[in-house]
Amino acid sequence: MTQATQRTIDGIGGDFADAVLAGLRSKPKSIPSRFFYDAKGSELFERITELEEYYPTNAEIALLDAHAEDMAALAGPNVCLVEFGSGSSRKTDRLIEALAPLHAYVPIDISDAALAGAVARLRARFPDLRVVPVHGDFNAALALPKTARTPKKLGFFPGSTIGNLNRWEARRFLEDCRSLLGPNCAFVVGVDLKKDTGILLPAYNDRDGVTAAFNLNLLDRVNRELGGTFDLNAFAHQAIYNADEGRIEMHIRSLADQTAELMGEPVSFAEGETIHTENSHKYGIEEFQAMAGAAGWEPLKVWTGADNLFSVHYLVPATA
Ligand code: AVJ
């Protein structure tokens, strides 16, 4: 990718050190989940999406396959498609095809490598499509590139990435998108549904340990980038369902009393102490629609499969 088309927005890079130090000094310890997605973490996440136990990706792709034409009919032609946290953009192909002709596609992602790969793949597959990548944390993406300014914008936020935000952050994010996407817009949001823990827990505790590797890669990243001395064998992956909060939580649990260092700073752990690394909130249909309503959106349509595993919402600006 050329420098000319690669935009970078603030909120990544330098703040990894600050965020990790602050998180490991607080009680309980935590590290923000956006730091999962370095090159290795993005690759591990792609492998998660291919796991049998990890139902959200396939369930959402099935919904996009079945209903991309309906979404395109609602959106109309020549929209600018803006994707938040696009990663490999693998799910977007169906939508891009259905929406054709598109004014432009603006993928926003925190992983440079994932973004570059996606852009190269899409430019090869859709030579006529204008692709304008934005490198950065979509939570900080407060301005869109010039190409995105004129036509109707269609926001796309798949994968239940919104589940990483807590409820008030999610509502605020939906509000921010409402102003970012302008008066003539719509928003397609993929949201994982509340369901039995018999399905939920294996999705975050897969047999092959890919999710464990994804979680522990955070400590590996601290070792690689911040001169960390974490012994990865002395920590374990943990994923639980917090029913009160309606969310899966991932933690990294210390298997011993131990002290590790990063940037020369010691961090001590008691045996069993955890670092909270991710929340993945699950929503009922009405629950999500109420939140979107509070953020200035009107739920125009929602698609769920017969299996009721996942939901894709089509939101439009609320009138009045
Ligand atoms: C990409 C945030 C939607 O929460 O299910 C997958 C990330 N974490 N396995 C999710 C994830 C553990 C995923 N999201």
Side-chain angles (χ1 to χ4, degrees):
M1 192 182 326
T2 62
Q3 280 301 315
T5 56
Q6 175 73 61
R7 286 153 218 278
T8 296
I9 49 188
D10 293 332
I12 46 173
D15 72 349
F16 182 48
D18 293 348
V20 169
L21 258 187
L24 294 181
R25 281 172 176 164
S26 48
K27 246 184 183 314
K29 294 180 169 68
S30 63
I31 299 177
S33 57
R34 66 178 182 280
F35 295 113
F36 280 135
Y37 301 93
D38 65 349
K40 186 167 164 221
S42 292
E43 239 175 77
L44 284 165
F45 178 68
E46 284 308 309
R47 283 181 57 201
I48 288 176
T49 65
E50 287 155 16
L51 293 169
E52 206 181 300
E53 297 102 321
Y54 193 75
Y55 63 85
T57 306
N58 286 337
E60 186 177 41
I61 286 175
L63 290 173
L64 292 172
D65 276 345
H67 304 295
E69 298 295 340
D70 307 343
M71 295 172 200
L74 289 172
N78 294 309
V79 300
C80 176
L81 180 64
V82 179
E83 181 169 355
F84 301 91
S86 47
S88 69
S89 294
R90 201 157 59 84
K91 292 172 187 163
T92 321
D93 289 37
R94 268 309 275 126
L95 204 52
I96 289 173
E97 279 167 354
L99 286 165
L102 268 178
H103 174 78
Y105 172 51
V106 179
I108 304 171
D109 203 81
I110 198 163
S111 167
D112 222 348
L115 194 60
V119 170
R121 186 183 67 75
L122 286 168
R123 286 189 176 144
R125 173 150 188 199
F126 303 107
D128 297 332
L129 179 65
R130 187 189 291 133
V131 182
V132 189
V134 175
H135 175 221
D137 176 2
F138 58 73
N139 261 306
L142 297 171
L144 290 174
K146 265 206 199 86
T147 27
R149 253 169 234 168
T150 21
K152 173 169 179 174
K153 284 180 269 299
L154 180 65
F156 185 41
F157 194 27
S160 206
T161 306
I162 197 165
N164 275 175
L165 306 175
N166 66 35
R167 284 178 167 73
W168 63 266
E169 290 167 334
R171 191 198 24 79
R172 202 185 52 190
F173 179 71
L174 289 171
E175 260 167 35
D176 290 349
C177 290
R178 177 69 192 79
S179 33
L180 185 74
L181 295 171
N184 186 14
C185 74
F187 201 7
V188 173
V189 187
V191 184
D192 197 13
L193 292 168
K194 284 206 165 84
K195 60 182 61 67
D196 199 274
T197 51
I199 297 173
L200 272 178
L201 286 169
Y204 294 83
N205 289 289
D206 64 279
R207 279 185 297 267
D208 297 341
V210 183
T211 308
F214 174 72
N215 196 7
L216 290 167
N217 176 54
L218 262 182
L219 293 185
D220 204 27
R221 183 174 179 189
V222 170
N223 286 350
R224 280 182 268 121
E225 293 181 26
L226 304 178
T229 63
F230 287 87
D231 172 7
L232 265 62
N233 294 312
F235 291 89
H237 165 69
Q238 181 176 48
I240 56 157
Y241 186 65
N242 180 334
D244 291 338
E245 301 286 351
R247 69 189 186 203
I248 289 280
E249 294 180 5
M250 296 213 306
H251 298 261
I252 295 173
R253 188 164 42 85
S254 176
L255 298 174
D257 291 338
Q258 57 182 319
T259 299
E261 271 186 20
L262 66 145
M263 301 183 297
E265 297 284 324
V267 184
S268 295
F269 294 85
E271 183 182 346
E273 189 180 354
T274 70
I275 308 169
H276 188 173
T277 53
E278 186 179 51
N279 290 320
S280 191
H281 291 81
K282 311 301 172 186
Y283 290 93
I285 302 271
E286 288 80 22
E287 186 188 6
F288 182 78
Q289 289 180 333
M291 184 170 79
W297 294 96
E298 183 182 316
L300 191 66
K301 205 160 168 77
V302 57
W303 297 274
T304 58
D307 47 17
N308 257 305
L309 289 175
F310 202 86
S311 62
V312 176
H313 294 258
Y314 193 99
L315 310 173
V316 295
T319 47

